[in-house]
Amino acid sequence: MEKQEKKDKLQEFKCPCCDGTIEFDSKLQKMKCPYCDTEFEIDTLKAYDDELKNESADDMTWDTAAGGQWQEDELTGLRTYACESCGGEIVGDETTAATTCPYCGNAVVMKGQFQGALKPDYVIPFKLDKQAAKEALKRHYNKLLVPKIFKDENHIDEIKGIYVPFWLFDTEADARIRYKGTRLRIWSDSRYNYTETSHFLILRGGSLAFNGVPVDGSEKMDDALMEAIEPFDLSQAVDFKTAYLAGYFADRYDVDAEESIERANERIKYSTEQAFASTVKGYTDVMPSSGSIRLHGGKAKYALYPVWLLNTTWNGKKYTFAMNGQTGKLVGDLPVDRGAYWRWFAAITAIASAAAFGLAYLLWLL
């Protein structure tokens, strides 16, 4: 029993630099790693061990009771339309008999009233009209390497202003992140070149507040496209009223708040890590080692954001562009003129080669 108790009290110390098992060196009166020869003061290693014991797992939970219930008078005049081709659901008024799908361009037919979904908490009204979207697309065409014939012959097949559903996540994040940092000191004498590597344990901790982290609530919308037209100015959001939908389409959410949590947590975690990493300076190299993020007061809201969708076709291929209906930011893929690309590549290569030759000649002269 006594031997077992002694065994239970043994503790293994890991090297913060290479994770090897380190031991006490009686000559140095320090802890020393036999694998990388790094030496540690006892107090330093104890502080490191205490930090490891204090680490905790991420806690990123949410209250997703977003949206409200529709009042009977608010549903009057709203209709849901379903695209028979892609299944996209959009909203029109009671006078709309048929229209075209902003996602695939096919005809949609009336399906029924706008029911069964939560009422949005907020809406950001459109600030820019259809003409502004057309002009933004023309400017987008003026990119390097876009075929001239595409600019000349391309025309807009369909342009739609649509309110896209978004889940907005508010929370406060408490974070503790640990980094491994190194500093190099290099010098030489008449016989040798020397490199000294110092290792550091870097700790960062604090709180960040997040307001309105958006996650696209429509499965039909390209998430990358929606994130690319961010940011939206949430300060201009207003309480939802059906009147804002007049003249536009509105997509119902088909990805609920619970399903959107994973993406919200990814965005919050990445932003937190970037914010803390920006404070770690003065080191030759820094690598994140571990950390934890705990959210509290997390709530989700349901909002509609204004987006212009523009569909064009060229050489049998469909191109879709999206414009932020509030700020005018427009994104979308464009075809590449391969001939122009290789001419541009050859010109850049020639310039680089000439610069390299000039530098080599200058060094030769010196």
Side-chain angles (χ1 to χ4, degrees), residues 341-358:
Y341 169 79
W342 288 114
R343 290 193 296 272
W344 172 82
F345 181 79
I348 294 297
T349 303
I351 293 172
S353 299
F357 175 78

Side-chain angles (χ1 to χ4, degrees), residues 173-235:
D174 294 331
R176 289 176 62 85
I177 302 178
R178 179 161 51 88
Y179 304 87
K180 291 181 179 179
T182 60
R183 285 182 187 153
L184 297 182
R185 187 167 72 93
I186 301 174
W187 72 97
S188 60
D189 56 24
S190 59
R191 299 182 61 187
Y192 301 103
N193 295 323
Y194 302 91
T195 299
E196 178 187 80
T197 303
S198 300
H199 296 267
F200 299 88
L201 171 65
I202 308 161
L203 303 176
R204 289 294 184 269
S207 299
L208 294 174
F210 292 88
N211 181 38
V213 177
V215 178
D216 173 19
S218 173
E219 188 174 348
K220 282 85 65 180
M221 300 298 292
D222 186 328
D223 291 345
L225 202 63
M226 292 299 98
E227 291 184 7
I229 62 173
E230 293 178 9
F232 289 85
D233 184 359
L234 190 56
S235 68

Side-chain angles (χ1 to χ4, degrees), residues 99-103 124-140 156-166 221-222 225-230 232 244-251 304-312 319-333:
T99 184
T100 54
C101 177
Y103 307 108
I124 294 181
F126 274 87
K127 300 293 183 183
L128 300 171
D129 60 14
K130 182 183 295 187
Q131 185 59 36
K134 292 179 179 179
E135 293 173 357
L137 183 60
K138 289 181 180 179
R139 292 193 298 271
H140 191 63
I156 300 174
D157 297 330
E158 191 70 28
I159 177 170
K160 292 287 185 181
I162 181 169
Y163 281 105
V164 178
F166 277 84
M221 300 298 292
D222 186 328
L225 202 63
M226 292 299 98
E227 291 184 7
I229 62 173
E230 293 178 9
F232 289 85
Y244 289 110
L245 303 184
Y248 301 96
F249 292 96
D251 192 9
L304 298 180
Y305 279 0
V307 176
W308 284 103
L309 288 181
L310 304 93
N311 291 311
T312 70
Y319 295 85
T320 299
F321 304 89
M323 189 186 87
N324 185 315
Q326 181 189 38
T327 67
K329 183 178 181 181
L330 185 142
V331 298
D333 291 333

Side-chain angles (χ1 to χ4, degrees), residues 67-337:
Q69 297 300 317
W70 291 95
Q71 301 300 314
E72 186 174 350
D73 59 339
E74 292 180 307
L75 293 173
T76 302
L78 296 181
R79 299 290 186 272
T80 298
Y81 299 84
C83 174
E84 296 178 351
S85 176
C86 72
E89 291 185 335
I90 56 178
V91 177
D93 60 33
E94 60 185 350
T95 64
T96 304
T99 184
T100 54
C101 177
Y103 307 108
C104 66
N106 288 330
V108 294
V109 296
M110 188 171 67
K111 182 179 180 181
Q113 289 189 336
F114 188 61
Q115 297 177 1
L118 290 172
K119 171 187 170 183
D121 295 300
Y122 307 110
V123 58
I124 294 181
F126 274 87
K127 300 293 183 183
L128 300 171
D129 60 14
K130 182 183 295 187
Q131 185 59 36
K134 292 179 179 179
E135 293 173 357
L137 183 60
K138 289 181 180 179
R139 292 193 298 271
H140 191 63
Y141 286 168
N142 294 325
K143 296 288 183 70
L144 185 68
L145 307 180
V146 175
K148 183 177 184 301
I149 191 172
F150 175 83
K151 301 177 184 178
D152 296 339
E153 296 183 359
N154 187 262
H155 65 279
I156 300 174
D157 297 330
E158 191 70 28
I159 177 170
K160 292 287 185 181
I162 181 169
Y163 281 105
V164 178
F166 277 84
W167 298 104
L168 309 180
F169 293 87
D170 299 342
T171 190
E172 290 189 6
D174 294 331
R176 289 176 62 85
I177 302 178
R178 179 161 51 88
Y179 304 87
K180 291 181 179 179
T182 60
R183 285 182 187 153
L184 297 182
R185 187 167 72 93
I186 301 174
W187 72 97
S188 60
D189 56 24
S190 59
R191 299 182 61 187
Y192 301 103
N193 295 323
Y194 302 91
T195 299
E196 178 187 80
T197 303
S198 300
H199 296 267
F200 299 88
L201 171 65
I202 308 161
L203 303 176
R204 289 294 184 269
S207 299
L208 294 174
F210 292 88
N211 181 38
V213 177
V215 178
D216 173 19
S218 173
E219 188 174 348
K220 282 85 65 180
M221 300 298 292
D222 186 328
D223 291 345
L225 202 63
M226 292 299 98
E227 291 184 7
I229 62 173
E230 293 178 9
F232 289 85
D233 184 359
L234 190 56
S235 68
Q236 296 183 8
V238 296
D239 291 339
F240 176 80
K241 291 183 176 60
T242 55
Y244 289 110
L245 303 184
Y248 301 96
F249 292 96
D251 192 9
R252 296 195 307 177
Y253 70 86
D254 52 11
V255 179
D256 63 26
E258 289 290 340
E259 295 173 295
S260 301
I261 284 177
E262 181 178 357
R263 180 55 183 156
N265 284 347
E266 288 175 358
R267 302 193 74 176
I268 289 171
K269 189 169 186 176
Y270 175 79
S271 297
T272 301
E273 291 172 347
Q274 290 297 108
F276 279 73
S278 67
T279 69
V280 182
K281 299 177 181 179
Y283 299 92
T284 305
D285 185 45
V286 175
M287 291 291 293
S289 177
S290 67
S292 65
I293 299 176
R294 303 180 69 83
L295 305 183
H296 55 90
K299 292 184 178 180
K301 295 293 184 182
Y302 175 31
L304 298 180
Y305 279 0
V307 176
W308 284 103
L309 288 181
L310 304 93
N311 291 311
T312 70
T313 304
W314 186 66
N315 277 356
K317 182 179 179 181
K318 181 170 290 187
Y319 295 85
T320 299
F321 304 89
M323 189 186 87
N324 185 315
Q326 181 189 38
T327 67
K329 183 178 181 181
L330 185 142
V331 298
D333 291 333
L334 290 167
V336 175
D337 185 334

